Amino acid sequence: MENNYQLSRIHSYVMGLMSKEEMYEMEREALNDPFLQDAIDGYKAQNGVDVHQLSILQQRLAQRLETRSAERDKRFYGWQRLTIGAAGAVLFLVACSLIFFKFIIQPAKEKTNEVVLMEEHLRLTTSQLSDSDAVPVGGWEMFNEELNTELRDIVGDAELQLEFNLIDGEAQDIKFIKNTNNTMAISVASFLQEKVRWTGKVGKLDIRIDSKK
């Protein structure tokens, strides 16, 4: 209802001067506002009141409506601030998580990977014996890196000397001249035959593998 219950409306309603539509509207408003209903009942009981009394009544009604509006706005803005605060807290936690992962966890992981690679590069050396013309496709540096990776889970050291023939770029007829670690030898032979492409005709290699620390 508006902030003013005009004196003329209450008077017209009580005196039956309103149309049916206006009276229905007034009654509907009174159902939703007990204070308006009290004003109408009081007017009827006193068989009309003077202008001064109704002015006081009007002021009380206006104050009541203003209070209700203020309480409604307070609840609305209270929930709004709470929602904004919760959203801000979630964004803050997400940002902190991203920073933690980027600057703490990820560098630690990269550092670990660097240490592992250094250990692998230091474990193995390969040299060719006389009369060997075999060269791995990709070069010896890549060969050593890939063989290091192949042997990274095998504990122990080894000294291996072997020879093999090359047919269509594949190692065939692998024979070990020296073998101090049979587990290493089996893995090396499988690697040479299945995972390396070669150029040349004959391969004779000396492979030294340090202990895994």
Side-chain angles (χ1 to χ4, degrees), residues 57-112:
L57 180 61
Q58 183 178 6
Q59 292 174 7
R60 290 177 179 174
L61 288 171
Q63 290 174 357
R64 182 184 180 92
L65 289 174
E66 289 176 0
T67 301
R68 286 184 178 178
S69 177
E71 290 176 351
R72 183 174 62 251
D73 292 342
K74 184 178 180 181
R75 287 195 299 270
F76 172 76
Y77 288 113
W79 279 106
Q80 189 180 51
R81 286 193 294 268
L82 183 61
T83 302
I84 294 173
V90 171
L91 291 175
F92 177 76
L93 290 175
V94 171
C96 289
S97 299
L98 292 175
I99 292 172
F100 179 78
F101 177 80
K102 183 178 177 97
F103 294 103
I104 298 178
I105 296 179
Q106 193 170 8
K109 183 178 179 182
E110 291 175 353
K111 185 176 180 181
T112 301

Side-chain angles (χ1 to χ4, degrees), residues 12-13 16-25:
S12 296
Y13 175 78
L17 301 177
M18 285 184 170
S19 64
K20 291 182 178 180
E21 291 77 9
E22 291 173 334
M23 293 183 71
Y24 172 76
E25 179 65 21

Side-chain angles (χ1 to χ4, degrees), residues 5-210:
Y5 298 123
Q6 294 95 338
L7 303 178
S8 59
R9 291 189 68 212
I10 298 175
H11 176 77
S12 296
Y13 175 78
V14 174
M15 296 302 179
L17 301 177
M18 285 184 170
S19 64
K20 291 182 178 180
E21 291 77 9
E22 291 173 334
M23 293 183 71
Y24 172 76
E25 179 65 21
M26 192 75 166
E27 291 169 355
R28 187 177 66 82
E29 292 177 7
L31 288 175
N32 294 327
D33 191 341
F35 198 65
L36 174 59
Q37 184 63 54
D38 291 343
I40 293 172
D41 292 341
Y43 192 93
K44 288 180 179 179
Q46 296 182 26
N47 194 21
V49 294
D50 58 28
V51 173
H52 177 68
Q53 289 175 317
L54 281 179
S55 294
I56 295 174
L57 180 61
Q58 183 178 6
Q59 292 174 7
R60 290 177 179 174
L61 288 171
Q63 290 174 357
R64 182 184 180 92
L65 289 174
E66 289 176 0
T67 301
R68 286 184 178 178
S69 177
E71 290 176 351
R72 183 174 62 251
D73 292 342
K74 184 178 180 181
R75 287 195 299 270
F76 172 76
Y77 288 113
W79 279 106
Q80 189 180 51
R81 286 193 294 268
L82 183 61
T83 302
I84 294 173
V90 171
L91 291 175
F92 177 76
L93 290 175
V94 171
C96 289
S97 299
L98 292 175
I99 292 172
F100 179 78
F101 177 80
K102 183 178 177 97
F103 294 103
I104 298 178
I105 296 179
Q106 193 170 8
K109 183 178 179 182
E110 291 175 353
K111 185 176 180 181
T112 301
N113 290 339
E114 290 176 0
V115 171
V116 171
L117 288 174
M118 289 177 63
E119 288 179 353
E120 291 178 355
H121 281 294
L122 292 172
R123 280 196 77 196
L124 183 147
T125 58
T126 302
S127 58
Q128 293 194 79
L129 301 175
S130 61
D131 300 328
S132 175
D133 63 354
V135 177
V137 175
W140 288 107
E141 183 177 354
M142 181 180 293
F143 174 87
N144 285 335
E145 289 178 357
E146 292 180 352
L147 182 55
N148 271 323
T149 301
E150 191 76 15
L151 302 176
R152 64 186 174 189
D153 295 327
I154 302 177
V155 178
D157 56 8
E159 295 183 16
L160 306 175
Q161 291 184 358
L162 62 149
E163 60 182 26
F164 52 88
N165 296 320
L166 294 173
I167 301 175
D168 297 328
E170 295 183 356
Q172 303 288 338
D173 303 323
I174 298 175
K175 297 177 182 178
F176 283 90
I177 303 170
K178 185 176 182 179
N179 176 8
T180 62
N181 188 319
N182 194 52
T183 302
M184 291 280 192
I186 293 173
S187 296
V188 169
S190 175
F191 174 78
L192 296 178
Q193 197 166 25
E194 299 176 4
K195 298 185 179 181
V196 183
R197 297 288 297 176
W198 298 88
T199 60
K201 295 181 179 179
V202 177
K204 295 182 179 181
L205 305 179
D206 182 275
I207 300 175
R208 305 292 177 95
I209 305 166
D210 294 334

